Amino acid sequence: GFAFVAQRMGMDHVGPFMFNGVRFLLGALVLVPVLMRNRQQPPAVRSGAKSGPSGFMVGGIAGVVLFLGASLQQMGLVYTTAGNAGFITGLYVVIVPILGLALGARTNAGTWLGALLAALGLYFLSVTEALTIAYGDLLVLVGAFFWAIHVLIVDRFSNRMEASRLAVFQYLACAGLSLVVGLAIETTSLADLWAAALPILYGGALSVGVAY
């Protein structure tokens, strides 16, 4: 949750794509020692897990979805508050089981009650008198669906490969896409990156590297 404040502060100096690019690259680098240590140990997988696609492939797919969710969230923070973004992103908690219904998963009454309360909270937080949702909040809301899809991807494949390997691959994919877009459409100097160093360090090392 603290990361939303850092993400907003960082964009006082750099654009959303460059911020995410450096942030996720740093997050991947933080996990390299964990990845190297785990390569020397047998992968811990769930009982009865089946072999699946390579970590590179799954990491790439998860990274693309992560890029979409993180980009929409970061762009939304340009137009909304950290508090709004945090609440709306958190709606993925109820979006996940609802999307899971399409995959044949079951849910319960508590999920639907949670969805109703979340929708009510979103209404009071984001819907204007003209019954339109604020632009920044809409971006974050669309992003929440990609966060939910990302959770489903990780849930499906995390039992088939070592977790740190999947994490590093998806962070690198997200970082690469973000940096390409950032270099194409944003203007960033080394001085800008230095000015945003503290928010980037927090967002990369702790939010991505540790929390994600």
Side-chain angles (χ1 to χ4, degrees), residues 67-120:
F67 163 74
L68 294 170
S71 297
L72 287 163
Q73 180 190 85
Q74 197 68 25
M75 288 188 295
L77 277 165
V78 176
Y79 306 101
T80 191
T81 65
N84 276 31
F87 174 84
I88 296 169
T89 299
L91 294 180
Y92 80 87
V93 173
V94 292
I95 296 173
V96 166
I98 292 173
L99 291 181
L101 292 175
L103 302 176
R106 294 183 178 182
T107 189
N108 54 40
T111 298
W112 297 112
L113 177 60
L116 177 62
L117 292 174
L120 186 63

Side-chain angles (χ1 to χ4, degrees), residues 149-169:
I149 294 170
H150 179 259
V151 169
L152 293 172
I153 292 173
V154 172
D155 176 68
R156 180 172 179 82
F157 292 105
S158 61
N159 66 326
R160 305 184 187 185
M161 62 195 65
E162 201 281 314
S164 63
R165 182 179 176 86
L166 172 58
V168 169
F169 281 147

